[in-house]
Amino acid sequence: MVIVVLIADCFMDDMKFCIENFGCQMNEHDMDKMASLLAGEGMQRVEDAKKADIVIVNTCCIREKAEQKFYSLMGRLRDAKEKKGTIIGVTGCIAQMEKEDILQRLPFIDFSLGPSNIHKIKKAIDQAMRDEPLLDFSENGCNESLLIRPGYGQDSVKAYVTIMKGCNNFCTYCVVPYVRGRESSRDSRDILQEVAALGGRGIKEVTLLGQNVNSYNNARDDISFPELLEKINAIDGIERIRFVTSHPRDLSPELIGCFGRLEKLCEHIHLPFQSGSDRILKLMNRGYSAAEYIAKVEALRDRRSGIAVTADCIVGFPGEDEEDFGKTMDLIERIQFDGIFSFAFSPRKLTAASTMPGKVPPAKAFERLHRLQKLQREITLSRNKAMEGRTAEVLTEGVSKNSNEELTGRTRTNKIVNFRGPLAMMNRIVEVAIVKGYANSLKGEGAKLKEVQAC
Ligand code: SAH
Ligand code: SF4
Ligand code: F3S
């Protein structure tokens, strides 16, 4: 046994790992955190699971489809394990949901860690090499998993910072409170230190992450979310601030006010509405009405004209009839969102909605979803077309996926812009004239470097 440990340790440097990721931005950030911890141990990250000695699957269970994708990937990984003895670990929300039971369905895995335990990734691998599977699903508030600061490449200009975790809202359809635990906010001094360090090493855009960032520090004696934004706004080097995700109920007048006065706060908010029917919103336990949602969006638009509003919504929630769905369509017409992520309701284990009466047949739910998506595609296109003839500030972040000759980046309103420009403009803030609006992006021309801070 001891010999195995020694062999494992001395080969650690040569080990290749791959992380397959599913789920939200929080999960993506967790993946980056684990990757940087392992890179810090001298291990090499590879994209192709077939070339890896260790495969970590960071999971999501928000909808059934995410779970299905995970289990079908695990079927393929089991073959890899049988052929070349790959170490396979499961992290994230399915790990937390299933806990030890995961071994019944996937007896071949070597470790499993819930989202609050990702800082133990190296220990889990070490133990797997000694054939001592680590299974850890402990929940301990604002722990080390939140404090890991992932490394960024030399040229990186965008970074994510977790400011809180978990959720106390218990929307009746949602599994997140069961897998990410209760809300817990990170100390503001620690967050501000992290953002200052990012600003000092060339990061221009920071996105603050949490399941419900608007309730940051609601339960702690520390600064509020608007105060945190104000302090970040004063940090040198940082030129753009974003945050995700907001709950409409917790969108306070102070936070709305931030959009009017903090020049680095980008003109975009992702504000899920879920349904336009008050009856369904009540069944969902969302804590606001459609009229209150509309009033908040109007207040945001008053404060910052041109602010882009995107959202999530669910169709086919139990009990939803044509009239309820019609109200959702009306809300979409009324708000004219820049984009919507829309989903058919998927019953989730442990949630109240999974046993509610009035199940909507899947064919009906998908038919509504298609109608909604058609309407939103038209609105998105018309909003993008309305940008034609305007100038936009773009933070470039790569080469366009459609053409090697074009750069790509995002406006402050979070819209993708592709434009011709020299490679020297990569990772810089530029101004471009928008000449065409498409369904998913904008086309720009005449890019000029803009190094003065945007207002
Ligand atoms: N914390 C965020 C996001 C949660 S999950 C928030 O509160 O907005 C992202 C989106 O997935 C949700 O906004 C919701 O639209 C969707 N979603 C969550 N549970 C779902 C379910 N059971 N079925 C279908 N969509 C769901
Ligand atoms: Fe889920 Fe609602 Fe919490 Fe968002 S606010 S994570 S939808 S329970
Ligand atoms: Fe999925 Fe967990 Fe995020 S369920 S959406 S990865 S919080």
Side-chain angles (χ1 to χ4, degrees), residues 24 26 60-64 166-167 169 171-176 210-213 244-248 270-274 284 286 311-315 317 341-349 351 353-354:
C24 58
M26 297 269 286
C60 171
C61 52
I62 198 79
R63 284 171 290 276
E64 194 183 355
C167 183
N169 286 322
C171 302
T172 55
Y173 50 81
C174 184
V175 77
V176 170
Q211 296 304 335
N212 182 14
V213 288
V244 71
T245 293
S246 293
H247 191 299
H270 186 69
L271 193 62
F273 64 93
Q274 312 300 1
M284 288 176 162
R286 288 291 286 178
D312 298 341
C313 89
I314 299 177
V315 299
F317 187 83
F341 295 109
S342 50
F343 312 100
F345 170 72
S346 170
R348 302 283 68 208
K349 210 155 79 177
T351 64
S354 65

Side-chain angles (χ1 to χ4, degrees), residues 29 32-34 36-37 147-152 160 194 198:
H29 192 50
D32 290 341
K33 288 176 180 175
M34 287 190 281
S36 69
L37 288 179
L147 305 182
I148 309 165
R149 297 182 183 183
Y152 290 94
Y160 296 85
E194 180 170 350
L198 291 168

